Amino acid sequence: MTAFDDLMAHQRDTEALAGISGRLGWDQETMMPRGAAEQRGEEMAAIEGVLHARRTDPRVGDWLDAIDAGGLDEVAKAKLRHIRRDFERNSKVPAKLAAELARVTSVSQGKWAEARAAEDFAAFAPVLERVVGLKREEASALAGNGDLYDAMLDDYEPGATGAGLETLFSSLRPRLVALREAVLGAEHQPAQIEGTFEEAAQLQLAREMAQAFGYDFSRGRIDKAVHPFCSGNGADVRITTRTALTDPFNCVYSTIHETGHACYEQGIDPDFALTPLGQGVSLGVHESQSRIFENQLGRSRAFTGYLYERMTALYGDLGIGGADAFYGTVNRVAPGYIRTEADEVHYNLHILMRFDLERAMISGDLEVADLPDAWNARFEKDFGVVVDKPSNGCLQDVHWSVGLFGYFPTYTLGNVYAGCLLKAMQTALPDLDAQLAKGDTAAATGWLRENLQRFGGLREPRDTIAHACGFEPSEEPLLEYLEAKFRGIYGI
């Protein structure tokens, strides 16, 4: 066997073990008994220790040095690029620190869930302080003399920097705020859906929506969780959703969103399975898939007409007044506490706030103990609403409890990418709306699979979007889409 063959065999087992670790995380969120949290922390730490040892195995460096990349094809070179990046990053992080991070974040996740349920940030603060301290330590090892936050970003969006994202977000904010003010001040305001919607019917509709958007149930499943998520890749890609008896859209659109993530993983070339290319290339690109499924497709006038028919068949008269009014209701703009329930106009303002707060925590400009006050003050300034309880404030998201600093900005980056993809898709599929009006997403999801999803990690994130769209990504298509859509709905 050649050095390349030896490296790929080693990597295949590493990818398989990482999949097992991911399954443990899925179980913790869905089925694990609450009393098992401490033990699960030890289990996660143990497997992370094994993974870290494999990822930093000196043989990986030897194999990389021995391989002549000149004669390799594009796929092989891309595999080496990912392995080299991961090897160099992981080699900078001490094994003891990697295992401790896995242990503490597993326990912290349980503490966060308990504190959230009890509306008690003080009970969560000590473990969050420990997570922040460990993440700073990890970032210091990775960054050397560089920026700590940039080192964290590289885990989720290779090539992105905090300064670059700040520039992008500064371009988005003024037009988002102006649109928000125009919409909230409009004379016409869509009705809000009212009533009680049986959970069994919501879950039935969720399965229908997942299937309509191409989710392969022979390689996945849907379960309930506090915070909807997607887990896995290749032949085992699982999603979760949640229900609220007075808000059926929560379940419908959480499911469509996670289906977007899942279809990305299921759509990757099977030849890439158990290799570094066998998963989404970055969280920003991943989020572009979930957001275009949920918003540009799922909340379009065409698709909501189909959804209106399905919901009236399940629930009877919705009291909305027809498909056009239903389209306005689905896309209704209103300030709200919860990021995952935010409309398209407000959503990115939620992310911009989190981006600023987490950068401040990592830099040391914001202490964990001061997070609730900083959150509440910023929220009132940006949204004009006073936060009433921690679960509607800084305890609403799981991300910081599990150490995902640098993750939040990829949500807005995904929205930017989704705007670009829609522009390219509409050019390629002139009859897109006619198909969506029948509940047929095959052309749209097929276009995404052919032009983006199947390539997995073959290209760098921005190159992945540029290759799919035929132009370099920017914020302009997203802003144009939002302004046209909501000015139309609100008659402004």
Side-chain angles (χ1 to χ4, degrees):
M1 293 177 68
T2 66
F4 182 84
D5 293 333
D6 288 338
L7 178 59
M8 290 305 116
H10 178 87
Q11 185 68 24
R12 184 178 182 85
D13 287 347
T14 302
E15 298 285 347
L17 288 167
I20 294 171
S21 179
R23 220 75 71 237
L24 285 174
W26 169 86
D27 175 74
Q28 182 170 335
E29 284 286 300
T30 56
M31 296 185 177
M32 186 189 79
R34 186 169 57 183
E38 295 289 340
Q39 179 175 316
R40 180 56 50 87
E42 297 299 324
E43 293 166 353
M44 295 290 280
I47 196 166
E48 181 57 34
V50 172
L51 283 166
H52 188 268
R54 292 188 65 84
R55 290 165 176 158
T56 59
D57 190 324
R59 292 178 300 167
V60 173
D62 293 340
W63 287 323
L64 287 168
D65 290 341
I67 295 169
D68 178 10
L72 299 179
D73 62 16
E74 180 187 23
V75 170
K77 288 179 180 178
K79 291 176 180 177
L80 292 184
R81 184 180 73 244
H82 283 279
I83 293 172
R84 187 179 299 279
R85 177 187 286 153
D86 288 348
F87 176 70
E88 291 175 352
R89 281 181 66 81
N90 283 295
S91 294
K92 294 175 182 177
V93 179
K96 184 177 180 181
L97 174 58
E100 181 66 0
L101 264 169
R103 186 189 69 79
V104 170
T105 53
S106 180
V107 172
S108 175
Q109 186 172 2
K111 297 289 187 184
W112 162 79
E114 292 173 0
R116 184 177 184 274
E119 303 291 353
D120 186 2
F121 179 81
F124 176 57
V127 71
L128 180 59
E129 288 175 352
R130 178 63 175 151
V131 171
V132 170
L134 288 170
K135 291 301 293 185
R136 285 177 179 160
E137 187 177 345
E138 180 190 47
S140 295
L142 291 169
N145 295 323
D147 185 86
L148 298 187
Y149 192 72
D150 287 355
M152 295 179 175
L153 271 175
D154 204 55
D155 268 339
Y156 311 114
E157 197 69 22
T161 66
L165 290 172
E166 186 175 12
T167 298
L168 172 66
F169 294 167
S170 296
S171 298
L172 286 170
R173 185 188 294 274
R175 285 169 67 178
L176 288 175
V177 170
L179 180 59
R180 171 187 184 274
E181 295 305 311
V183 163
L184 294 181
E187 182 177 349
H188 168 69
Q189 295 291 322
Q192 187 172 3
I193 197 164
E194 297 180 353
T196 301
F197 301 86
E198 183 186 19
E199 181 177 86
Q202 289 192 42
L203 293 175
Q204 176 187 333
L205 186 60
R207 288 186 65 87
E208 286 184 22
M209 291 300 103
Q211 215 154 19
F213 278 87
Y215 184 56
D216 181 357
F217 278 95
S218 72
R219 296 186 290 152
R221 55 182 289 146
I222 297 181
D223 293 275
K224 286 183 60 180
V226 172
H227 192 102
F229 66 96
C230 172
S231 175
N233 53 60
D236 190 345
V237 186
R238 308 179 187 192
I239 61 177
T240 65
T241 191
R242 62 183 172 196
T243 59
L245 292 180
T246 58
D247 181 10
F249 297 144
N250 193 315
C251 183
V252 167
Y253 285 104
S254 291
T255 303
I256 295 174
H257 179 99
E258 299 307 332
T259 298
H261 284 303
C263 285
Y264 185 8
E265 294 295 339
Q266 290 183 338
I268 295 172
D269 188 333
D271 289 343
F272 294 167
L274 296 179
T275 79
L277 310 187
Q279 54 196 326
V281 68
S282 75
L283 291 186
V285 176
H286 234 302
E287 194 66 12
S288 76
Q289 301 306 283
S290 60
R291 296 301 279 183
I292 198 170
F293 271 49
E294 176 189 356
N295 292 326
Q296 282 88 345
L297 301 178
R299 295 183 193 269
S300 67
R301 171 60 185 89
F303 190 81
T304 57
Y306 168 75
L307 180 60
Y308 176 73
E309 293 176 2
R310 290 300 307 124
M311 288 188 67
T312 53
L314 279 171
Y315 302 118
D317 183 16
L318 300 174
I320 296 296
D324 285 333
F326 181 79
Y327 170 57
T329 296
V330 166
N331 289 286
R332 183 173 178 271
V333 174
Y337 298 116
I338 307 301
R339 170 187 62 86
T340 56
E341 298 171 8
D343 56 76
E344 290 182 82
V345 175
H346 282 102
Y347 185 88
N348 293 301
L349 295 174
H350 283 270
I351 299 304
L352 272 54
M353 179 183 76
R354 287 158 173 78
F355 170 70
D356 289 340
L357 291 174
E358 71 176 15
R359 283 183 86 194
M361 276 194 286
I362 295 304
S363 69
D365 292 337
L366 175 63
E367 296 299 324
V368 167
D370 298 325
L371 175 61
D373 288 341
W375 178 292
N376 295 350
R378 173 67 179 270
F379 193 87
E380 186 174 3
K381 178 183 176 183
D382 282 5
F383 296 88
V385 177
V386 176
V387 175
D388 59 347
K389 55 186 178 181
S391 63
N392 282 335
C394 62
L395 284 181
Q396 68 178 267
D397 295 301
V398 71
H399 300 60
W400 291 335
S401 74
V402 292
L404 299 180
F405 290 87
Y407 193 125
F408 275 123
T410 66
Y411 288 125
T412 286
L413 195 56
N415 282 331
V416 169
Y417 289 162
C420 297
L421 290 165
L422 176 67
K423 181 178 180 179
M425 182 189 293
Q426 288 175 327
T427 300
L429 304 174
D431 59 343
L432 176 61
D433 282 350
Q435 297 178 50
L436 293 176
K438 296 182 288 188
D440 182 1
T441 72
T445 57
W447 185 90
L448 289 167
R449 185 167 54 251
E450 177 64 24
N451 290 281
L452 188 150
Q453 294 171 359
R454 68 187 177 97
F455 297 110
L458 183 64
R459 301 181 179 90
E460 296 285 17
R462 280 185 65 89
D463 293 339
T464 296
I465 300 298
H467 179 269
C469 295
F471 55 83
E472 288 296 317
S474 77
E475 72 277 8
E476 192 62 28
L478 173 65
L479 289 168
E480 290 175 352
Y481 154 77
L482 290 173
E483 288 167 347
K485 177 176 183 175
F486 288 95
R487 289 186 181 279
I489 290 172
Y490 281 82
I492 51 179

